[in-house]
Amino acid sequence: MLVGRSKAPTYEQPQGLPEIYARHADFVWRNLRRLGVHESSIDDAVQDVFLVVHRRLGDFEARAQVTTWLFGIVLRVAQTYRRSATRRRARLTDAPASDFEHVPTTTTEGPAELFERREASQLLHRLLDELDDDKRAMLVCIELEQMTVPEAAESLGLNLNTAYGRLRAARAAFNDAVTRAQRQMAAGREAS
């Protein structure tokens, strides 16, 4: 038995762009929105992500999961779109909740449940908009996409210690944003 370094795990190599698109288009769409791309630009941003995937697919060596690799691309495309939107002074918080945020349920939801889900999704996007890009990306990776910290670190190009520190800071910033939102809602109810 050999003692020493273990070989890095390898993951399944995707068959090609059509397979990646079929399996991960919803993942790309959902995370572009979560990372602040305006609703009106989402379709173009998805196309840009898959253009990058097409160009770089030959470089993918299956040392990470496809979603880890894709998230890194999504993050860079989202940052480009957000910078462009900022230059145009577009308001990102006016985007309606998307259907991709809808989590299917086993029972039929009534109008009240659908309304509550939409309100919660809009609140989540407003709270995410309050975070800086680095914290927002980390929180989306870990809390919403359920990546492990090592996967998120690889997606974001961070060393592991930095990733853990950023996650702690992101959670603290998000909790602060939630507290502020709760205070605003309470003040609004008192004023009514």
Side-chain angles (χ1 to χ4, degrees):
M1 182 167 148
L2 294 174
V3 177
R5 282 190 170 182
S6 62
K7 185 177 176 183
T10 57
Y11 297 90
E12 183 178 333
Q13 181 74 29
Q15 296 298 316
L17 183 62
E19 177 189 351
I20 293 173
Y21 183 84
R23 287 186 177 182
H24 303 291
D26 290 351
F27 170 86
V28 168
W29 200 102
R30 183 176 61 241
N31 284 299
L32 285 166
R33 178 63 193 105
R34 287 174 174 168
L35 292 170
V37 175
H38 193 274
E39 186 89 15
S40 65
S41 300
I42 292 283
D43 290 336
D44 291 337
V46 169
Q47 183 177 7
D48 287 348
V49 166
F50 284 104
L51 284 172
V52 172
V53 169
H54 175 68
R55 282 195 317 264
R56 299 199 43 222
L57 187 55
D59 299 336
F60 181 69
E61 298 175 354
R63 290 183 294 180
Q65 292 183 20
V66 173
T67 52
T68 303
W69 178 66
L70 271 175
F71 193 85
I73 296 169
V74 167
L75 178 63
R76 286 184 284 288
V77 168
Q79 288 170 339
T80 299
Y81 273 81
R82 286 187 68 188
R83 278 193 303 269
S84 295
T86 299
R87 283 192 291 261
R88 288 189 316 266
R89 297 181 186 267
R91 293 196 32 97
L92 298 178
T93 58
D94 290 341
S98 75
D99 292 336
F100 283 93
E101 288 294 329
H102 179 75
V103 178
T105 59
T106 56
T107 61
T108 305
E109 291 181 315
E113 292 85 7
L114 289 172
F115 178 77
E116 287 175 10
R117 185 179 301 276
R118 184 169 306 262
E119 288 290 310
S121 178
Q122 289 174 340
L123 177 59
L124 172 66
H125 287 270
R126 276 197 319 272
L127 294 172
L128 288 172
D129 283 343
E130 291 185 29
L131 303 178
D132 65 48
D133 288 346
D134 294 338
K135 290 180 183 103
R136 180 182 191 148
M138 181 58 74
L139 210 58
V140 167
C141 282
I142 301 296
E143 300 298 341
L144 300 177
E145 287 303 326
Q146 299 294 299
M147 289 184 186
T148 65
V149 176
E151 289 171 338
E154 186 171 335
S155 285
L156 302 173
L158 303 171
N159 74 44
L160 201 52
N161 289 334
T162 302
Y164 278 108
R166 190 167 293 166
L167 178 58
R168 279 189 300 278
R171 284 176 173 160
F174 188 79
N175 287 337
D176 290 345
V178 168
T179 301
R180 282 191 303 276
Q182 288 172 334
R183 286 182 186 145
Q184 288 173 350
M185 286 188 282
R189 283 191 296 265
E190 289 174 8
S192 301

